[in-house]
Amino acid sequence: MNKRAIIIDDERLARNELKKLLTEFPDIEVIDEASNVDEGLQKIEALNPDLIFLDIQMPGKTGFDLLSELDRTPEVIFTTAYDEYALRAFEVNALDYLLKPIEPKRLADALHKLDEDDKETTVDGEPISVNRSMLSENDQVFVKDGERCWFVKLSDIRLFESVGNYAKVYFGPNKPLILKSLNALEERLDEKIFFRANRKHIVNLRMIEKVEPYFNGGLLLEIHGGDKIEVSRRQAVKFKEMMSL
């Protein structure tokens, strides 16, 4: 499947070298390039690429700053001269992390991961797209906040809460922050298990202990652990439809 890509790097020679390497991969179409974060954001919003090749150290803002400003993030392959950002790249679910100068084989390996994420399967002989990045309730996810790290079973997470460009993850007694928007999380979560209650919260439906009517046609959910979450009037209609017999 063809992928439309944007290269975001402040070094013109690096952009040109990467474009040259990508000519060996006919499924990758470089539709534009940008030399800084602000220009990159504009082009991502305008062109909606499937993939971005993203430098980290750029004047003014970093590649991580760019990702924090996106509500919906395309696949990301970092391209950088520095290896100290690899763990942080893992935190933001980058597809791969390529050190400059980029080796053709490492680029091929990274693009192979893209193929794995977008394989097709069939139902009754008809091809359907399978999003390999979707998370199931039995998956374990890596959560890091400062120096503390956890591998958490997704079904043990009771709540995601938006905090600026971050999301607070509620599990057990812990509430670490991750650099991820709620919209990006929602795309990867099973809607049969996780429900977008309002602009700021996604709740685990299996952790709900009590439901009460609330102001203006909304609902108030009490979830395991005692947290109370308001469901907006619009989402309350959807919630009732989902939970009714």
Side-chain angles (χ1 to χ4, degrees):
M1 181 181 291
N2 290 339
K3 296 292 183 183
R4 301 162 64 254
I6 293 177
I7 299 172
I8 304 171
D9 194 313
D10 63 309
E11 297 178 1
R12 181 176 58 83
L13 290 177
R15 297 196 304 270
N16 289 342
E17 179 61 25
L18 180 53
K19 282 191 292 185
K20 182 179 177 182
L21 290 172
L22 288 170
T23 60
E24 298 296 319
F25 303 90
D27 288 345
I28 305 297
E29 177 191 3
V30 178
I31 57 173
D32 213 334
E33 57 187 83
S35 60
N36 57 61
V37 166
D38 290 337
E39 185 183 2
L41 285 168
Q42 292 172 5
K43 294 190 174 182
I44 291 169
E45 293 296 329
L47 299 173
N48 192 27
D50 306 300
L51 169 67
I52 56 175
F53 293 92
L54 183 60
D55 190 16
I56 294 178
Q57 291 279 31
M58 290 181 281
K61 297 179 181 178
T62 70
F64 294 115
D65 293 328
L66 180 146
L67 295 181
S68 73
E69 295 185 36
L70 291 174
D71 284 332
R72 300 191 182 276
T73 308
E75 295 281 11
V76 179
I77 295 177
F78 280 111
T79 59
T80 178
Y82 306 95
D83 61 5
E84 62 260 36
Y85 300 107
L87 179 59
R88 192 171 175 191
F90 177 71
E91 291 175 43
V92 297
N93 295 311
L95 195 67
D96 212 330
Y97 185 94
L98 304 180
L99 287 175
K100 299 174 183 175
I102 296 171
E103 298 177 4
K105 183 174 187 312
R106 281 289 293 117
L107 178 60
D109 290 343
L111 295 175
H112 179 69
K113 294 179 184 178
L114 190 66
D115 291 336
E116 289 296 312
D117 271 355
D118 204 33
K119 281 183 177 177
E120 282 194 337
T121 189
T122 60
V123 174
D124 294 333
E126 292 295 323
I128 60 171
S129 178
V130 176
N131 185 348
R132 300 293 183 185
S133 65
M134 284 295 290
L135 295 167
S136 73
E137 62 178 321
N138 293 319
D139 284 340
Q140 283 197 320
V141 293
F142 177 77
V143 177
K144 182 176 185 293
D145 185 3
E147 297 301 315
R148 302 186 68 191
C149 302
W150 301 263
F151 275 101
V152 188
K153 194 173 179 181
L154 197 64
S155 59
D156 291 335
I157 296 174
R158 62 184 181 273
L159 177 67
F160 294 96
E161 179 181 9
S162 177
V163 183
N165 294 324
Y166 293 78
K168 186 180 291 185
V169 186
Y170 289 67
F171 56 94
N174 306 297
K175 301 177 184 179
L177 286 171
I178 60 172
L179 182 58
K180 205 75 173 174
S181 71
L182 278 199
N183 285 343
L185 285 168
E186 188 178 16
E187 285 187 344
R188 301 190 64 199
L189 296 171
D190 187 343
E191 64 179 9
K192 297 183 182 66
I193 301 170
F194 287 92
F195 177 71
R196 183 71 175 260
N198 55 53
R199 186 175 57 85
K200 291 195 65 176
H201 297 99
I202 296 174
V203 300
N204 185 335
L205 293 170
R206 297 178 182 177
M207 294 282 190
I208 296 173
E209 297 184 338
K210 190 176 181 181
V211 181
E212 297 178 351
Y214 206 54
F215 297 113
N216 299 320
L219 297 170
L220 188 67
L221 307 180
E222 183 172 333
I223 61 175
H224 182 72
D227 298 290
K228 294 185 177 182
I229 305 299
E230 181 182 351
V231 180
S232 65
R233 181 171 61 180
R234 182 176 180 180
Q235 288 301 91
V237 173
K238 183 177 179 182
F239 178 85
K240 291 172 184 176
E241 290 175 351
M242 290 176 61
M243 303 303 286
S244 62
L245 292 175

